[in-house]
Every structure is written in structure tokens, then in C-alpha cells.
């Protein structure tokens, strides 16, 4: 019975991996199409970026739960990148974007 559970888990993980890859590929194609059409960042690109943030935060939190210090480092780096992007985006918005 244990072997069946491990096999089922592997099958589910493979299905999740392929569905995630399809979703990411679809969002990129949709985002590129919308950007080429309107020259503006659209919802697919935002969702594409947000799904990576969710992935990194969840994996970082799970690593912290099992006492792996690389999880703290990963979360701090992710927060640093987010804050830098917000900071430079605000600078560009207030100097060029208006």
C-alpha cells in the first residue's frame, strides 16, 4: 500500500509541474501579445511575476519551518528585490511617467 501512495504522489507532482509550465507559457504568450498590441504591461505579465513571488515565499517559509537558514536568506533577498523594484518604479513614475 505504501508503494502505491508514493507512485500516486509522483504522478500528481508530475501533473502539477506540467500544468504549471503550461500556465506560465500561456501567460507569457498572452502578455507578449498584449504588450505588442498596446505597448502597456498587462494583467498576464503581472500574474506571471506574482506567481514567482508566491512560489519563493512559500518555499522560503517551508524551509524556515524545517530549520533551514537558506529560507530566511531567500525571503530577505526576495523582499529586497521587491522593495528595489517599487523604489525605482516610483522614481521612474514621478520623473518620466507623468
Amino acid at each position: 500500500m505504501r508503494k502505491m501512495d508514493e507512485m500516486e504522489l509522483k504522478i500528481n507532482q508530475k501533473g502539477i509541474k506540467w500544468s504549471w509550465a503550461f500556465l506560465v507559457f500561456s501567460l507569457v504568450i498572452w502578455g507578449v501579445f498584449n504588450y505588442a498590441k498596446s505597448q502597456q504591461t498587462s494583467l498576464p505579465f503581472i500574474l506571471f511575476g506574482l506567481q514567482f513571488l508566491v512560489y519563493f515565499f512559500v518555499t522560503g517559509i517551508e524551509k524556515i519551518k524545517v530549520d533551514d537558514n537558506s529560507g530566511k536568506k531567500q525571503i530577505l533577498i526576495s523582499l529586497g528585490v521587491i522593495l528595489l523594484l517599487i523604489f525605482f518604479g516610483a522614481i521612474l513614475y514621478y520623473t518620466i511617467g507623468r
Side-chain angles (χ1 to χ4, degrees):
M1 194 71 160
R2 180 77 178 133
K3 198 69 152 175
M4 189 60 136
D5 290 339
E6 290 175 7
M7 183 179 71
E8 209 172 320
L9 180 64
K10 186 174 181 177
I11 290 169
N12 284 337
Q13 286 177 340
K14 188 172 253 189
I16 289 169
K17 179 179 80 171
W18 279 102
S19 65
W20 175 82
F22 171 76
L23 181 64
V24 168
F25 184 71
S26 299
L27 286 173
V28 168
I29 296 298
W30 185 14
V32 167
F33 176 76
N34 281 348
Y35 185 76
K37 189 174 156 186
S38 66
Q39 296 298 316
Q40 293 180 351
T41 304
S42 60
L43 183 62
F45 275 142
I46 294 169
L47 291 174
F48 176 72
L50 287 176
Q51 66 93 21
F52 279 109
L53 290 176
V54 168
Y55 171 77
F56 286 125
F57 278 119
V58 169
T59 55
I61 289 170
E62 291 301 317
K63 286 180 181 179
I64 289 171
K65 284 182 181 178
V66 295
D67 292 332
D68 186 359
N69 288 332
S70 68
K72 292 178 186 175
K73 182 180 175 184
Q74 184 177 355
I75 287 179
L76 288 175
I77 290 172
S78 298
L79 286 175
V81 169
I82 291 169
L83 290 175
L84 281 174
L85 288 174
I86 290 171
F87 178 72
F88 287 119
I91 290 174
L92 288 173
Y93 177 75
Y94 285 114
T95 57
I96 299 172
R98 283 184 159 189

